[in-house]
Amino acid sequence: MHLALKEAQAAADAGDVPVGAVAVVDGAVVGLQRNRKEELNDPTAHAEILLLRDVSQRLGRWRLPDVTVYCTMEPCAMCAGAMVQARIARLVYAVPDPRGGAAGSVFNVVDTPELNHRIDVVQGVLMEDAKAQLSAFFRRVRGRNSGTLDGRGGASQLDSARPSDGEGCPSG
């Protein structure tokens, strides 16, 4: 999870929501990714999606039943669905996402009996560190942009999606 937090910080430094993800097989790191939606102008460039793509290419297979994914935030429905499709064994995440989490908070895509695969989930690992990282990012965004990220005067997606109480944050 420490590596995922480093990736999340790289995302924050690049102006993206600080979410990082790491894939591990038999105790060895086989992939690291971070959110890159802003950098790539791609709504699907979540850390988890990029990680699954990268690891599949590295391992030469799309089925990943021996992979554990460590993520700083609970995956959204898109990412959780991709993890189910990839057949990952285990998901470990730090912070739940009460607005869009799909590993138990809002939805439970990773443990839906109707789907062909279920994922073991561990939550809360280094949660306080990940929460602090997310809070710092959104404080910086609010201070720098006065409610906008795009510099064009419109309310940003991040700002409008951010909970007003500071707890929990959007996964993408």
Side-chain angles (χ1 to χ4, degrees):
M1 190 63 77
H2 289 288
L3 290 174
L5 287 165
K6 285 182 182 180
E7 288 296 310
Q9 187 57 53
D13 292 344
D16 252 304
V17 175
V19 177
V22 175
V24 174
V25 175
D26 295 328
V29 173
V30 294
L32 302 151
Q33 285 291 334
R34 60 180 171 82
N35 270 1
R36 296 177 67 197
K37 286 171 47 175
E38 298 295 328
E39 175 186 342
L40 300 175
N41 289 314
D42 180 352
T44 68
H46 291 204
E48 303 94 326
I49 296 294
L50 297 173
L51 181 72
L52 292 174
R53 289 176 183 158
D54 181 48
V55 170
S56 293
Q57 290 300 306
R58 285 177 194 254
L59 299 179
R61 55 191 165 88
W62 64 268
R63 288 181 187 91
L64 306 172
D66 52 346
V67 172
T68 296
V69 172
Y70 293 84
C71 191
T72 58
M73 179 176 260
E74 179 182 7
C76 69
M78 174 182 68
C79 295
M83 289 180 192
V84 169
Q85 291 299 313
R87 319 290 200 270
I88 70 158
R90 187 170 179 224
L91 165 66
V92 180
Y93 70 85
V95 178
D97 182 356
R99 291 185 163 251
S105 290
V106 177
F107 309 103
N108 202 358
V109 172
V110 299
D111 192 28
T112 299
E114 292 79 16
L115 296 178
N116 64 337
H117 180 74
R118 294 192 191 130
I119 299 171
D120 292 328
V121 176
V122 176
Q123 58 183 328
V125 175
L126 296 180
M127 182 168 54
E128 294 307 316
D129 293 341
K131 272 186 175 180
Q133 197 173 49
L134 286 159
S135 293
F137 173 78
F138 285 110
R139 270 194 310 275
R140 189 180 80 211
V141 166
R142 282 192 304 270
R144 181 181 68 221
N145 297 304
S146 300
T148 67
L149 280 181
D150 61 12
R152 295 182 299 248
S156 73
Q157 179 182 4
L158 295 179
D159 195 54
S160 63
R162 186 189 62 251
S164 59
D165 64 5
E167 291 298 315
C169 297
S171 59

